[in-house]
Amino acid sequence: MVKISKCVTYNKVVGIFGFSGEDHIGKVSFPPVQAAPSFPSSFPHLFPGKENPRCLIPCAIDQDPYFRMTRDVAPRIGYHKPALIESSFFPALQGETGKMSASDPNSAIYVTDSAKDIKNKINRYAFSGGQDSVENHRKYGANLEVDIPIKYLGFFLEDDAELEYIRTEYGAGRMLTGEVKKRLTEVLTELVERHRRARASVTDEMVDAFMAVRPLPNMFS
């Protein structure tokens, strides 16, 4: 982190992140913290005997400035530039213009939600691209570009053929919003319940073993 900090001037970090004189020093000092795990020296126990392996970082677009900064710094401190795989944001239930927030529990589905909570959130808050009446919906079909249940099914429904069928039928107006929301409710309820069962089986000893500083077996085999 210190090596990275020495390579990034205050003016440069202001240009990258838009900091102002009103921002506290914690914000200015954080980018090196984010950047440091890109380099193998941060994890010597993981890479014994390996000379400078390359790093691939999956992230959302909001993390891009940190790692563009990191790519600029890397050659100057003797490391390879990290590579990125950038994914799209997962939208809030209220639509693409909204944002998931802990202050609004209805903006997202939580793995601690009950089946009743999931059904209620999807039915009440999941933004629909369907028309304002059944008649218009049958005539014009749904706008799939803004429909949140369709977007969520794209993430969570494992059957690609079923997903394509739903998209086609819903987009043509032959399937109604309520039917799509019902299918999404089923998919997410099953997923959350599966997670709840798995979480209940986790012991403190398992957590300690997972979090222990240790080499990862067969990492390069």
Side-chain angles (χ1 to χ4, degrees):
M1 288 163 50
V2 172
K3 289 180 181 179
I4 296 166
S5 298
K6 288 181 177 180
C7 293
V8 184
T9 66
Y10 179 72
N11 285 339
K12 183 174 287 187
V13 83
V14 166
I16 295 171
F17 300 101
F19 298 143
S20 71
E22 301 302 314
D23 288 308
H24 56 71
I25 61 172
K27 288 186 177 181
V28 179
S29 63
F30 181 71
V33 180
Q34 185 86 329
S38 303
F39 305 123
S41 61
S42 298
F43 308 100
H45 58 289
L46 292 182
F47 308 107
K50 297 294 179 180
E51 294 297 326
N52 200 6
R54 296 178 183 272
C55 179
L56 175 63
I57 303 167
C59 65
I61 190 65
D62 62 322
Q63 301 295 299
D64 182 79
Y66 291 99
F67 298 114
R68 286 186 179 273
M69 180 201 76
T70 307
R71 285 174 57 82
D72 181 61
V73 168
R76 298 163 62 188
I77 60 176
Y79 292 120
H80 296 299
K81 294 181 179 183
L84 305 182
I85 294 179
E86 293 184 345
S87 60
S88 59
F89 275 120
F90 198 83
L93 284 174
Q94 286 85 350
E96 292 282 3
T97 58
K99 184 177 180 181
M100 290 186 185
S101 171
S103 63
D104 182 5
N106 295 317
S107 64
I109 303 296
Y110 294 90
V111 293
T112 53
D113 283 344
S114 67
K116 182 178 179 181
D117 292 332
I118 294 171
K119 181 179 180 180
N120 180 62
K121 286 184 180 183
I122 292 173
N123 286 339
R124 293 186 62 184
Y125 301 106
F127 186 81
S128 170
Q131 302 298 327
D132 56 2
S133 68
V134 173
E135 180 181 359
N136 284 339
H137 185 80
R138 297 293 191 195
K139 183 176 181 179
Y140 300 111
N143 181 353
L144 304 184
E145 294 302 313
V146 300
D147 192 271
I148 292 300
I150 283 291
K151 292 181 182 293
Y152 274 42
L153 284 171
F155 283 104
F156 294 112
L157 184 59
E158 295 184 5
D159 188 331
D160 290 339
E162 182 183 0
L163 177 62
E164 185 58 32
Y165 172 80
I166 292 172
R167 289 179 58 87
T168 300
E169 294 298 297
Y170 188 41
R174 292 186 292 270
M175 180 178 283
L176 300 177
T177 297
E179 297 174 90
V180 178
K181 288 188 173 184
K182 181 176 182 293
R183 184 66 183 113
L184 176 60
T185 299
E186 293 169 350
V187 170
L188 292 184
T189 299
E190 194 278 331
L191 185 151
V192 169
E193 180 55 35
R194 188 168 67 244
H195 175 83
R196 183 180 291 114
R197 291 195 300 268
R199 184 177 181 178
S201 68
V202 174
T203 64
D204 290 341
E205 290 75 16
M206 292 168 66
V207 174
D208 290 341
F210 183 83
M211 298 299 292
V213 176
R214 69 200 190 285
L216 297 181
N218 306 317
M219 191 170 187
F220 294 97
S221 63

